[in-house]
Amino acid sequence: MAHLTHPYQDSPARSFWRSGVVEADRCNWPEIYTPKVRITRDTSVATAGSCFAKHIGRSLRLAGGNVLDAEPKPEGMSAALARRFGYGVYSARYGDIHTARQMRELLEDAQSLHVDERLFRCHAGKWFDALRPDVEPEGCETLQEAVELRREHLVQVAALAQVADVFVFTLGASEGWMDRESGRTFALGPDVVAGSYDPARTVFHNFTYDEIHADLLQILRLLRGMNKDARLLLTVSPVPLGATASGQHVLAANSHSKALLRAAAGAMADKYKAVDYFPAFEIVTTWANPAAAYAPDLRSVRPEMVETVMRVFLTAHGLAAEAGPVGEREGVER
């Protein structure tokens, strides 16, 4: 056996900053991602979360992948109207899911088909589902109608979980807003869509690493309870927080939030064979990028960067040939 002069002597090129980053093809990022959870064109994929879950679903469709849609748009509805009402954005009409706690609670509800009437808001005579207020932007005429729409949604989410081979979930933030009475976590800031902020009813919560990790573990258990072969593919959104209620400067708050999400996702992928992590966050946010990753608002990811991320993802899964320029063809989430 050859004598090692230092512990990195036999490490591959990707292990070193110079060869893995400085001298690498930074438009394709070779070896940055070796999938543990494999996706082929026959793999049934479900998507949920925020921004890059949309992009992964969109790019897989363009590449001929099997992206599930449990709640397809009604026949004859225009594409623009469908997106306004949450059709075709993710694999079900849950809207954006920013925190692991929201995803956990959704799966728990889907398993039990439980609907809590305390989680509906009446505004200007219309009823809104506080857990997905932007999915029915015009509201419902009655509370009962809103409750029934949610119950049917939960039926479809349960059906989705039962048939998805891979569930893609993008973590967006550690910060959330919770209902004081029920303890449930909302999708948006306090009553952004329906009503006005009532601090006696809604409280800010910044989830800790331990809470996020526990929620991800429970998400895995819930998915595998409904489908014993289900696998979980995690990503972290590179889109910064639009605002923070933590009291910190938003730049520091964003770094804190993303670090927690990345650490928890990495810990899950390191420990469980059924969990993988795709480094979309790293590809977008590294200062080593040859061109600007963000639009002038410094939040929206440029289409060219979305295309780079999706090319890395699809190439790693052997699906890149048919994908095309995802960012330019399909648009970029704001």
Side-chain angles (χ1 to χ4, degrees), residues 7-252:
Y8 302 104
Q9 183 172 313
D10 290 338
S11 297
R14 65 176 179 271
S15 300
F16 299 91
W17 188 261
R18 177 176 293 279
S19 52
V21 177
V22 178
E23 297 170 353
D25 175 3
R26 282 171 278 163
C27 291
N28 293 287
W29 289 103
E31 296 188 88
I32 196 172
Y33 172 53
T34 303
K36 179 172 63 172
V37 170
R38 301 292 308 192
I39 295 175
T40 69
R41 288 186 175 83
D42 296 324
T43 305
S44 297
V45 178
T47 61
S50 60
C51 64
F52 271 84
K54 298 178 186 177
H55 296 316
I56 289 174
R58 198 176 290 140
S59 63
L60 279 172
R61 285 192 187 97
L62 290 171
N66 181 21
V67 181
L68 300 172
D69 188 355
E71 297 180 280
K73 72 180 181 69
E75 188 175 351
M77 178 179 281
S78 70
L81 189 60
R83 287 188 66 82
R84 182 170 177 243
F85 281 81
Y87 291 102
V89 179
Y90 301 107
S91 289
R93 292 178 69 219
Y94 18 68
D96 289 343
I97 299 175
H98 297 291
T99 64
R101 181 63 55 85
Q102 286 173 258
M103 190 73 240
R104 169 183 177 168
E105 291 173 348
L106 173 62
L107 291 173
E108 289 171 343
D109 285 350
Q111 190 176 63
S112 66
L113 297 183
H114 174 67
V115 178
D116 190 337
E117 293 189 3
R118 295 175 296 177
L119 297 171
F120 294 82
R121 300 285 188 265
C122 186
H123 177 65
K126 296 294 184 71
W127 286 91
F128 296 84
D129 182 347
L131 298 179
R132 50 173 196 155
D134 51 351
V135 165
E136 291 290 339
E138 296 177 0
C140 297
E141 294 295 331
T142 66
L143 172 60
Q144 188 59 36
E145 179 188 357
V147 168
E148 288 305 315
L149 281 175
R150 178 156 192 84
R151 184 171 285 112
E152 177 58 28
H153 168 64
L154 294 177
V155 169
Q156 298 307 321
V157 172
L160 177 69
Q162 289 163 13
V163 299
D165 298 319
V166 176
F167 210 103
V168 177
F169 178 48
T170 298
L171 292 152
S174 63
E175 296 188 12
W177 294 89
M178 303 178 74
D179 180 68
R180 288 184 183 272
E181 184 177 358
S182 67
R184 294 294 301 271
T185 310
F186 294 141
L188 299 173
D191 297 312
V192 167
V193 173
S196 58
Y197 175 42
D198 181 359
R201 191 172 187 178
T202 308
V203 61
F204 171 76
H205 184 74
N206 201 352
F207 291 97
T208 66
Y209 169 86
D210 289 340
E211 289 174 319
I212 296 166
H213 187 272
D215 287 338
L216 289 175
L217 179 56
Q218 184 62 8
I219 288 168
L220 178 63
R221 288 171 174 166
L222 287 162
L223 287 172
R224 306 212 93 187
M226 290 184 272
N227 177 356
K228 65 181 179 62
D229 296 319
R231 292 161 291 162
L232 182 62
L233 176 57
L234 298 171
T235 66
V236 173
S237 171
V239 177
L241 300 178
T244 180
S246 66
Q248 301 181 59
H249 187 285
V250 68
L251 183 61

